[in-house]
Amino acid sequence: KIVYEEIAATFDVPESALNGSQNLYELGASSMHLMRLKNGLQVRLGLPDIPTIDMLRRPQIDELCKFLCETTGTLNGQTKRASYNPLVCLNPSGSKPPVFLVHPGVGEILVFLQLAHALNDDRPVYALRARGFDDGEEIFKSFDEMAGRYCEALEATYPDGPYYIGGYSFGGAVAFEMGKMLEARGKNVKWVGILNLPPHIQFRMKELVWTEVFLNLLSFLALVPYSAYNTLKPELFSAYPELRHAEHEPENSVEVIDWLLKRSDQNRIK
């Protein structure tokens, strides 16, 4: 009942129009819809956190209800975590070969929700999500390890190909590497699409320094409003003058991160 009420409120549809076989993506789910639904369900069900990935993997209403029933029936909402699988199906239907979309640099796949809904090409749509978001998951140690693991996931799901792979921003470079790896294994790669990634990025990489990247990440996650960015940065350099000319992660990075998080939106952190 609570799940239906929250879905109806989030998508502005009558509760009576919903049924268990409906898919959140079919209702036009965007990243904002998903976050609003997640927060509403957490409050109504008294759960500390509903992992976004678990909602993405259960877009069908009855599947989501079953998962939440199991979650609320365990201590503190903690359930046994499935082993890492980078693939998340955003559109299961279609007679054509699927298209696989690789995440941007932040590692999440919410950016693809509307794209998957808009493609409408009689083609299943999968997104690849980075490792390290869930408790106990280690991030990839190298670019090659990441691309190789993603190729394994594609082959396990769709062993015979052909493969259609796209990547957004940083994901474009990953998609390109995946295409090379799959072709080296004798696979048929029909298409590699690169979205919003310039052909030469080496000079951009040299422009990135640890402090700037972390401050931008805080803004991206809405922990620090963009309007406060220009005032927070001088305060940080005043507290830690050594960061002003540092290009790499400082030895006291944990202390610096703690300093920044204390000045972030505490409601967002919770």
Side-chain angles (χ1 to χ4, degrees):
K1 175 67 174 177
I2 291 175
V3 176
Y4 276 74
E5 288 175 354
E6 287 300 316
I7 291 175
T10 299
F11 292 93
D12 194 25
V13 296
E15 186 180 337
S16 59
L18 300 173
N19 64 74
S21 63
Q22 281 181 301
N23 189 305
L24 296 181
Y25 303 140
E26 294 172 355
L27 294 174
S30 66
S31 58
M32 293 303 295
H33 284 119
L34 205 63
M35 291 300 98
R36 183 180 171 191
L37 179 60
K38 167 186 162 78
N39 292 332
L41 289 172
Q42 285 171 181
V43 172
R44 295 285 302 278
L45 297 173
L47 294 173
D49 180 57
I50 301 173
T52 305
I53 188 63
D54 287 322
M55 295 182 66
L56 287 169
R57 289 201 167 116
R58 296 168 178 85
Q60 195 165 305
I61 295 177
D62 56 1
E63 292 178 352
L64 181 60
C65 288
K66 181 180 178 181
F67 166 74
L68 292 172
C69 284
E70 294 172 351
T71 301
T72 52
T74 57
L75 182 62
N76 295 324
Q78 298 298 312
T79 57
K80 184 178 180 181
R81 192 62 70 211
S83 59
Y84 170 71
N85 179 1
L87 286 179
V88 178
C89 184
L90 300 181
N91 182 5
S93 60
S95 61
K96 296 178 181 179
V99 61
F100 299 93
L101 302 172
V102 185
H103 61 80
V106 73
E108 261 294 3
I109 59 171
L110 297 177
V111 67
F112 294 131
L113 292 183
Q114 289 291 76
L115 177 60
H117 183 69
L119 282 176
N120 195 24
D121 187 34
D122 190 30
R123 189 185 302 275
V125 178
Y126 290 85
L128 290 123
R129 186 175 186 259
R131 191 173 68 190
F133 282 97
D134 294 331
D135 291 341
E137 284 185 358
E138 293 185 0
I139 63 173
F140 291 113
K141 293 182 174 61
S142 69
F143 186 86
D144 285 343
E145 181 191 5
M146 175 174 55
R149 180 66 183 85
Y150 293 171
C151 286
E152 291 172 4
L154 264 63
E155 291 181 282
T157 301
Y158 197 68
D160 298 325
Y163 296 102
Y164 295 76
I165 311 168
Y168 177 69
S169 191
F170 168 79
V174 182
F176 182 69
E177 187 64 26
M178 289 171 63
K180 293 195 299 181
M181 286 183 172
L182 289 168
E183 285 193 335
R185 299 175 188 179
K187 300 294 184 176
N188 181 10
V189 179
K190 283 282 190 180
W191 176 81
V192 172
I194 297 176
L195 311 175
N196 192 36
L197 180 70
H200 303 290
I201 63 171
Q202 186 174 5
F203 75 98
R204 290 290 187 194
M205 297 301 291
K206 291 180 179 178
E207 290 178 355
L208 298 176
V209 296
W210 185 86
T211 305
E212 294 286 350
V213 170
F214 199 83
L215 286 171
N216 276 286
L217 179 61
L218 291 178
S219 295
F220 178 80
L221 296 174
L223 291 172
V224 174
Y226 283 104
S227 58
Y229 182 93
N230 290 330
T231 57
L232 181 62
K233 187 176 176 182
E235 289 178 13
L236 176 63
F237 287 158
S238 177
Y240 299 95
E242 68 275 13
L243 294 179
R244 193 178 299 275
H245 303 293
E247 294 185 359
H248 305 292
E249 181 177 353
E251 292 183 1
N252 62 338
S253 60
V254 174
E255 179 184 339
V256 174
I257 292 171
D258 184 61
W259 187 94
L260 287 166
L261 290 179
K262 286 179 180 177
R263 288 157 179 80
S264 300
D265 187 334
Q266 299 303 304
N267 291 324
R268 288 281 297 171
I269 292 175
K270 292 175 183 179

